[in-house]
Amino acid sequence: MITNRSFRLRLTFWSLSRRRSRLLVALTGVTAGATVLLGLLTLCYDLPRQLGREFRAYGANLVLVASGTGRLTVSDIQKAQALWPENKTVGVTPFRYESVRNRLRPYTAVGTDFEQVRKTSPFWHLTGKWPEEPGELLVGADIAENTDLKPDSFVTLDGRNKKQERYEKDFRIVGTLATGGPEDGFLFMTLSDLEQMTGETGEADLAEVSLTMDEAALSALTGIIKSSISGLEGRLVTKVTYSETAVLSKLTYLVYLVTLVVLALTMICVTTTMMTVVLERRKEIGLKKALGAESSRVGREFLAEGLLIGVLGGLLGSLGGLLFSRIITISVFGRALMPQFYLIPVTVLVMVLVTIVACRAPVKKAVAVDPALVLRGE
Amino acid sequence: MLLKMVLKAIGRQRRKHYLIALTVGLGVSLATAMLGVMFDVGDKVNQELKSYGANLNIVPKGASMLGELYQTEDTAAEAENVNQENFIPEKELYKIKMIFWAYNIVDFAPYLSVPVEINGQKIILTGTWFNRHLKLPTGDEVDTGMTALKSWWKITGSPGDDGDTSGLLVGRDAAGRLGLKPGDSFSAKAKGKAVDLKVRGVFDSGGPDDGLIFAPLSLAQELSGQAGLVERVEVSALTTPENELARRAAANPGSLSRMEWDTWYCTAYISSIAYQLEEILPGARVKAIRQVAESEGAILTKIQLMMILLTVLTLLCSALAISNLVSAGIMERSVEIGLLKALGASDLSIMFLVLLELFLVALIGGVIGYLIGLGLAQLIGLTVFGASVPVKAAVIPLTCLMVLAVTTVGSLPALRSLLKLEATEVLHGR
Amino acid sequence: MSAILEIQNVSKIYGGVKALQNIQLLVPQGQWLAVMGPSGSGKTTLMNIIGCLDTPTSGRVIMDGLDLGSLSHSGLTAIRRESIGLIFQEFHLISYLTALENVMVAQYYHSLVDENEALEALAGVGLKERAKHLPRQLSGGEQQRVCIARALINHPKVILADEPTGNLDETNERLVMFILHRLHKQGSTIIMVTHAPDVAAHAERIIVLEHGRLASDRENNPVVSQPSEQKSADSRAEELNQNQKSEESFLAGTMAAV
């Protein structure tokens, strides 16, 4: 037996299912709107972090040094690493500098971890290969150009350690390094080679740290480092942190503003689409009124339809929006972003509000008009 | 007659057409704003990235290696053998602002270091231009110098002043080592000469500069006895991200064909700007500072790609909305179209009639939308970057094309289904 | 016979245009009244006022002892719902609902839906077999009969028909007139606006409006459908709707009633 309640549901259902082309129009509009909405909201949420990670291309933003004179120990660096979250770490590279000689000419030899260097200084330009085996050496571009320390040649480096003991070691040059900075005038080897050569282990002059943190978080971190590890000091690479803060805040602002503009326009677009769909049905509203339906009742029926379309379009659009933001982050940053699932109900809610607002005005207008005017056939 | 019908139809369905025009207008303003910002975002972000400082380093050919190599060594030894070839004449520097890409040179600053002894400790004093006003032979005037180049420096005390030839900026570490603070006066020795100096300010650069002392260039030249010479120039230039061509050119400019060479030379690649600087400063070698040059290329490329994708996806969505509305508009006209058919109008003429009407409406909406879009682009440019966004001429045909395509494509399915209708079916009171 | 509708000195002015001027009309219970007049004479305006779709600028309308002028907006809506059955020239069926559902919509807004009652109403106009069809699958005559079934479903006191045959061919016109005849026989009050004299000829009383004034008001000897006419209508209907048995049984029923 059909009751009034079920008849009402059926009215809504038929109105949607038997007017498929119109439903499609409304649904497409709402879905497109929801796609843009969720896509942009997700991006807004994630973009500052994604961009922050891109800015790590500028290299280390924190340098660990010994707070007094002298060197820091490798174990201190390891201790410091426990002070910041693992997932914010891009890389930690120790550097140790030694004065060495080759055939009486002085050079600066740098011992480091090349695997980490590639993370903290992605801008280093290498010709040849990275040292992997013991006894492999990189030369700076200026040295390669101006001396006979050329790639694929063999060199012997010698020097004296702190105890004034003389050391000597043979190396094969496996590549040249160009950075445009002071590195162009250094020799690079693995830290273990340098330790083995000098006979002094466990020390470094500094460690470059690249963290996905902003300036404020990094300054807070330097305080923590100072108080928890004695003899170790963290210093901000101001050039990197300051500029990153300036540029990143503008970029984030840009994305927010673009989002705002796009969203405002899209929502108006959805509203006009919904309005068109409702406007088409003015006659139907007039008829229902002529049959003796209360205005409020007719209004409620239309709002119920709008609600359904809003929910349906919002859900479909949420899928689209996740795809939208995924396409952008994957193709731009090469990383998938974490979908923010709580944004889905927000999207659906917004779309429902938009459709209801869009339905309200024309329906209100239509029910306010005398049914006679609507029915006269114009 | 046709025009009359179209105008009548537009007049009659006024409310409907308001909505179509409004939606088209919104779409167009969105397109204009997004395309405008998209085309300009590269330049704007590039400008912002200049806060990372210099991306080019000009050094004399002869000394290009030794100068830096000996930085950690005892510099006194090197200072002994002064060699004219190891320096660049200060009076040549204005030429930097006269290369093909002169307008892309944002800033530059020369450096000359001299070892001095303060309070019995040896330290390197570097002379530079803090903020120099230059008059070019072209009649242009520019301000350039280290203050703008190293925007991240945090200075306590007063900033550097080229006119104050005894005023120094002291690095944080150097100040700690020498026990200096802003306002201190002291006596220093250089090459046996004694000179009275004072500390204008102490700076924190968060880098190796913290161990140095900066002074006006003339002071360093006087102390070292190298009048009119500098040993290094840092240049900050707006560049285009490197591509395959630029990489090949950087490796060996001779490998390019004539046309490729022209393209490369006339594009603001870091390598072509470096090449042009070497052309006007014979005896100098220009190196890209990869930390800045590479990274800004990487970030610029990503941001541009992001804006392009954002624009494309947003435009797709607004295109969908417009074509959607257009098709709704056409569907509603079924009775009228049935009537026209019954009167013997051909499918083609009906299509023409409907499309003409739509285009007229879309045109009006489009023009208004374009103007709004210009405004929005400016709003974004001014609020985010504090500079207006010049909307490229290419945006107009692009948006026109978009509106045309979207309206046509959007109306096709609806038109097709309408044309399939039998006249009687439509007129038979649906 | 008591008056179901009393119109006292009613005028209606639309922005300076006097659509109706000082109309006086008394309609007794059960009367079949035809309102005639050329286009623009105020027929539709009068219709709208009687149907509570519009309110007069001045004057009183009393329906079934109730002064419509004293009613609020929702009070008028209630009168429309309870007391009036509307038959439109353009049918005004809701396009996405079947014939049955279109009838049920009227029940829904009136009180409670009752599928069986709605089906009976459709059977009463000979459309039992077409109950599940959408308006676009129905002919004009069928659509008008759905409209009539919808108008009757809530047992209105007054049936208002605005050019009920205006969009119909002769055969369907006859079918509709048969139904109205039957309703009249059953005691319904019918007020019918038409410009066609042959349609008006079915009514007991004909008033003519001209320029918003009552030009004439006369009793009419209603046309009693002649057997031959019926037959011709019957045969023509059969020709048109040969495969619609319901049509025949409906016509048979109508003839019996007449």
Side-chain angles (χ1 to χ4, degrees):
Chain A
M1 192 61 221
I2 304 170
T3 62
N4 263 31
R5 197 187 161 79
S6 68
F7 187 74
R8 180 176 175 172
L9 289 178
R10 284 166 67 168
L11 273 184
T12 308
F13 174 71
W14 289 320
S15 160
L16 294 178
S17 63
R18 291 198 188 132
R19 298 164 64 253
R20 229 168 273 148
S21 59
R22 300 305 199 277
L23 172 68
L24 211 65
V25 166
L27 209 56
T28 315
V30 176
T31 306
T35 301
V36 173
L37 178 69
L38 185 73
L40 287 180
L41 283 184
T42 314
L43 278 182
C44 261
Y45 182 82
D46 212 49
L47 216 57
R49 284 183 302 174
Q50 297 278 6
L51 277 175
R53 211 170 165 87
E54 289 309 317
F55 272 86
R56 305 297 356 104
Y58 277 101
N61 44 10
L62 183 72
V63 177
L64 298 177
V65 290
S67 43
T69 49
R71 285 179 163 164
L72 44 90
T73 62
V74 172
S75 64
D76 277 348
I77 299 175
Q78 276 159 359
K79 260 190 261 168
Q81 283 191 53
L83 297 177
W84 59 76
E86 179 71 35
N87 61 359
K88 301 219 174 207
T89 314
V90 177
V92 179
T93 316
F95 285 97
R96 178 172 159 192
Y97 299 91
E98 288 294 338
S99 296
V100 296
R101 283 174 186 269
N102 166 248
R103 282 182 274 161
L104 298 177
R105 291 188 74 162
Y107 291 98
T108 300
V110 183
T112 187
D113 177 345
F114 290 102
E115 204 179 306
Q116 291 296 318
V117 158
R118 272 173 273 180
K119 291 177 187 162
T120 53
S121 303
F123 50 87
W124 280 20
H125 183 75
L126 180 84
T127 322
K129 75 177 206 65
W130 294 101
E132 280 157 3
E133 307 292 320
E136 291 185 331
L137 189 71
L138 275 190
V139 292
D142 287 344
I143 297 180
E145 195 170 313
N146 294 299
T147 71
D148 53 2
L149 302 189
K150 306 284 187 202
D152 289 325
S153 60
F154 289 87
V155 291
T156 307
L157 300 178
D158 58 75
R160 283 177 192 280
N161 64 13
K162 272 188 226 148
K163 294 176 206 150
Q164 294 303 313
E165 298 162 344
R166 191 170 181 283
Y167 57 76
E168 190 177 290
K169 187 171 164 65
D170 291 335
F171 287 95
R172 187 169 78 87
I173 299 174
V174 294
T176 40
L177 175 74
T179 69
E183 292 87 356
D184 287 0
F186 297 155
L187 302 174
F188 288 86
M189 63 186 71
T190 61
L191 192 56
S192 56
D193 269 357
L194 191 66
E195 287 178 342
Q196 193 221 329
M197 180 171 78
T198 58
E200 295 159 348
T201 57
E203 288 183 336
D205 285 288
L206 56 93
E208 287 190 356
V209 185
S210 183
L211 297 173
T212 51
M213 289 181 173
D214 60 18
E215 201 171 13
L218 284 170
S219 335
L221 182 63
T222 56
I224 297 173
I225 291 174
K226 199 166 194 172
S227 61
S228 29
I229 304 169
S230 64
L232 192 71
E233 193 182 336
R235 284 196 183 181
L236 294 193
V237 183
T238 329
K239 173 179 177 173
V240 172
T241 55
Y242 170 82
S243 307
E244 179 176 320
T245 309
V247 178
L248 200 54
S249 66
K250 288 212 169 165
L251 282 178
T252 312
Y253 194 26
L254 170 75
V255 174
Y256 285 163
L257 208 63
V258 164
T259 303
L260 201 71
V261 168
V262 171
L263 280 189
L265 295 186
T266 314
M267 290 308 127
I268 300 177
C269 228
V270 174
T271 312
T272 55
T273 308
M274 282 305 292
M275 274 176 141
T276 326
V277 173
V278 175
L279 270 179
E280 247 184 288
R281 299 172 68 183
R282 288 178 71 219
K283 262 198 176 160
E284 187 184 324
I285 295 172
L287 171 77
K288 285 179 172 172
K289 281 199 73 182
L291 289 179
E294 298 286 349
S295 299
S296 57
R297 201 162 169 185
V298 178
R300 276 204 304 276
E301 284 170 18
F302 272 81
L303 290 188
E305 268 182 48
L307 195 85
L308 264 176
I309 291 175
V311 169
L312 213 61
L315 286 175
L316 283 175
S318 294
L319 287 180
L322 290 179
L323 204 69
F324 179 106
S325 49
R326 210 182 146 81
I327 288 175
I328 288 190
T329 46
I330 287 198
S331 45
V332 176
F333 304 109
R335 291 184 284 271
L337 79 182
M338 266 300 291
Q340 302 298 319
F341 289 108
Y342 71 90
L343 285 176
I344 293 180
V346 172
T347 306
V348 172
L349 198 72
V350 170
M351 292 328 289
V352 166
L353 283 179
V354 166
T355 46
I356 285 181
V357 166
C359 291
R360 234 182 106 83
V363 168
K364 215 171 170 183
K365 209 162 176 187
V367 294
V369 167
D370 272 320
L373 290 177
V374 177
L375 293 183
R376 206 164 286 156
E378 267 89 66
Chain B
M1 181 59 208
L2 179 71
L3 196 68
K4 224 173 175 179
M5 275 174 84
V6 171
L7 289 178
K8 274 238 173 82
I10 291 178
R12 197 155 31 74
Q13 285 204 310
R14 200 171 294 152
R15 185 196 304 269
K16 179 73 177 212
H17 285 120
Y18 281 153
L19 285 179
I20 291 186
L22 180 64
T23 312
V24 170
L26 288 172
V28 168
S29 59
L30 199 61
T32 313
M34 289 295 281
L35 287 173
V37 172
M38 183 192 96
F39 282 127
D40 198 51
V41 77
D43 289 351
K44 289 279 186 290
V45 172
N46 207 338
Q47 197 77 247
E48 293 298 325
L49 289 174
K50 287 302 111 203
S51 69
Y52 278 98
N55 48 3
L56 287 164
N57 208 353
I58 307 179
V59 289
K61 245 183 201 139
S64 59
M65 171 198 164
L66 296 171
E68 280 161 16
L69 189 60
Y70 284 88
Q71 240 176 21
T72 54
E73 289 292 305
D74 186 0
T75 30
E78 194 242 348
E80 297 299 315
N81 47 41
V82 176
N83 182 341
Q84 288 286 335
E85 277 176 30
N86 292 351
F87 298 93
I88 302 166
E90 187 186 357
K91 63 179 193 322
E92 301 277 285
L93 295 182
Y94 71 90
K95 290 184 182 168
I96 292 173
K97 280 296 279 182
M98 291 176 69
I99 61 166
F100 182 80
W101 283 107
Y103 285 107
N104 280 34
I105 305 288
V106 178
D107 245 306
F108 64 93
Y111 299 96
L112 177 69
S113 344
V114 51
V116 293
E117 211 179 292
I118 298 169
N119 297 346
Q121 294 197 56
K122 277 185 181 169
I123 194 155
I124 294 175
L125 180 144
T126 307
T128 186
W129 291 352
F130 288 111
N131 190 12
R132 181 65 70 94
H133 188 76
L134 286 185
K135 286 195 173 92
L136 303 180
T138 54
D140 290 337
E141 298 190 13
V142 292
D143 286 306
T144 186
M146 195 187 70
T147 308
L149 208 52
K150 305 206 166 174
S151 57
W152 63 91
W153 278 17
K154 292 188 185 103
I155 298 176
T156 7
S158 337
D161 183 355
D162 291 318
D164 182 2
T165 51
S166 62
L168 307 179
L169 280 191
V170 181
R172 174 175 99 143
D173 291 349
R177 195 148 63 86
L178 301 171
L180 296 175
K181 58 183 193 300
D184 285 358
S185 290
F186 56 90
S187 175
K189 272 195 287 183
K191 292 190 171 175
K193 287 182 285 182
V195 59
D196 283 326
L197 301 172
K198 66 174 190 292
V199 181
R200 283 180 65 83
V202 171
F203 65 85
D204 179 2
S205 75
D209 286 344
D210 283 351
L212 302 177
I213 292 178
F214 283 84
L217 185 61
S218 51
L219 176 66
Q221 286 173 339
E222 186 196 320
L223 290 178
S224 63
Q226 288 149 350
L229 297 177
V230 304
E231 61 183 10
R232 194 163 68 86
V233 183
E234 281 185 350
V235 180
S236 173
L238 292 172
T239 59
T240 308
E242 300 267 284
N243 61 6
E244 186 52 40
L245 174 70
R247 272 186 277 276
R248 271 202 293 143
N252 178 15
S255 70
L256 300 182
S257 72
R258 179 77 213 166
M259 230 169 78
E260 285 174 330
W261 197 88
D262 282 348
T263 314
W264 171 72
Y265 192 88
C266 297
T267 309
Y269 296 124
I270 189 112
S271 51
S272 54
I273 291 180
Y275 183 86
Q276 289 164 18
L277 286 173
E278 285 181 357
E279 277 183 334
I280 56 112
L281 292 173
R285 207 161 70 86
V286 182
K287 299 197 294 182
I289 300 175
R290 301 191 76 92
Q291 183 188 10
V292 177
E294 282 279 285
S295 313
E296 74 187 13
I299 285 180
L300 266 185
T301 317
K302 298 233 153 131
I303 286 169
Q304 268 170 330
L305 183 60
M306 182 188 83
M307 278 305 287
I308 291 172
L309 274 175
L310 210 59
T311 307
V312 168
L313 286 180
T314 312
L315 290 192
L316 271 183
C317 283
S318 79
L320 197 65
I322 295 177
S323 64
N324 194 11
L325 200 60
V326 167
S327 81
I330 293 182
M331 276 190 278
E332 214 185 319
R333 307 277 302 277
S334 55
V335 174
E336 191 183 327
I337 288 170
L339 181 71
L340 286 175
K341 272 191 154 180
L343 292 177
S346 69
D347 284 1
L348 209 66
S349 66
I350 292 177
M351 252 171 83
F352 187 68
L353 185 75
V354 173
L355 283 180
L356 186 66
E357 184 190 326
L358 271 176
F359 284 142
L360 273 180
V361 173
L363 188 72
I364 298 167
V367 168
I368 297 170
Y370 179 73
L371 294 177
I372 295 175
L374 285 184
L376 287 175
Q378 298 314 317
L379 181 83
I380 292 175
L382 285 174
T383 41
V384 178
F385 301 109
S388 67
V389 174
V391 173
K392 296 237 162 58
V395 171
I396 299 179
L398 266 176
T399 38
C400 278
L401 219 64
M402 193 195 103
V403 171
L404 209 69
V406 162
T407 321
T408 316
V409 171
S411 54
L412 279 185
L415 267 181
R416 214 177 52 124
S417 68
L418 280 189
L419 292 178
K420 268 200 299 202
L421 287 176
E422 290 302 318
T424 49
E425 199 182 325
V426 179
L427 293 180
H428 206 68
R430 282 227 286 167
Chain C
M1 237 185 270
S2 64
I4 184 86
L5 179 72
E6 195 177 348
I7 294 177
Q8 297 175 353
N9 210 21
V10 159
S11 296
K12 177 74 187 179
I13 298 165
Y14 286 116
V17 181
K18 289 175 182 166
L20 289 177
Q21 292 180 57
N22 306 334
I23 302 290
Q24 296 277 2
L25 190 64
L26 202 74
V27 183
Q29 173 86 49
Q31 188 173 60
W32 185 348
L33 172 75
V35 181
M36 291 191 67
S39 296
S41 59
K43 300 187 302 266
T44 306
T45 308
L46 181 63
M47 192 73 172
N48 285 338
I49 287 174
I50 298 171
C52 302
L53 298 173
D54 208 345
T55 49
T57 312
S58 64
R60 295 209 313 163
V61 181
I62 296 163
M63 183 172 287
D64 204 14
L66 208 63
D67 185 351
L68 297 186
S70 68
L71 294 176
S72 65
H73 197 76
S74 62
L76 285 176
T77 305
I79 293 282
R80 261 198 322 263
R81 195 161 59 216
E82 302 292 337
S83 310
I84 296 164
L86 284 167
I87 300 170
F88 308 101
Q89 178 177 7
E90 309 223 341
F91 327 138
H92 289 306
L93 298 181
I94 296 176
S95 62
Y96 56 85
L97 297 180
T98 61
L100 178 64
E101 288 153 7
N102 262 292
V103 176
M104 287 167 77
V105 165
Q107 289 179 322
Y108 169 68
Y109 288 123
H110 177 264
S111 50
L112 291 172
V113 289
D114 182 337
E115 195 171 356
N116 291 331
E117 203 187 333
L119 263 176
E120 270 170 41
L122 280 176
V125 295
L127 288 176
K128 192 166 187 169
E129 308 295 317
R130 311 282 280 165
K132 300 282 182 194
H133 287 73
L134 289 172
R136 64 163 175 273
Q137 297 162 320
L138 299 173
S139 71
E142 287 169 333
Q143 288 188 43
Q144 185 59 295
R145 273 141 63 195
V146 175
C147 182
I148 293 174
R150 182 177 65 188
L152 300 180
I153 190 71
N154 296 322
H155 310 291
K157 297 190 178 101
V158 179
I159 294 166
L160 282 178
D162 185 6
E163 299 279 9
T165 59
N167 276 348
L168 301 180
D169 60 24
E170 209 182 325
T171 314
N172 280 302
E173 182 182 308
R174 278 182 204 287
L175 285 173
V176 168
M177 294 324 288
F178 282 135
I179 298 170
L180 291 181
H181 265 291
R182 189 180 57 187
L183 287 170
H184 179 55
K185 282 259 150 45
Q186 289 163 353
S188 294
T189 311
I190 301 173
I191 300 175
M192 176 177 80
V193 168
T194 180
H195 65 272
D198 58 326
V199 174
H202 290 269
E204 296 172 294
R205 176 184 176 194
I206 299 174
I207 60 170
V208 181
L209 292 177
E210 260 167 36
H211 305 298
R213 291 176 194 279
L214 205 56
S216 82
D217 182 351
R218 63 186 167 87
E219 295 294 316
N220 179 44
N221 202 10
V223 177
V224 180
S225 303
Q226 298 299 313
S228 64
E229 276 182 336
Q230 278 180 42
K231 203 158 216 165
S232 71
D234 192 359
S235 60
R236 258 176 273 173
E238 258 184 291
E239 274 165 34
L240 274 174
N241 305 300
Q242 257 175 356
N243 46 4
Q244 292 171 25
K245 280 187 182 150
S246 63
E247 212 76 22
E248 294 163 64
S249 63
F250 155 65
L251 283 173
T254 312
M255 276 188 291
V258 174

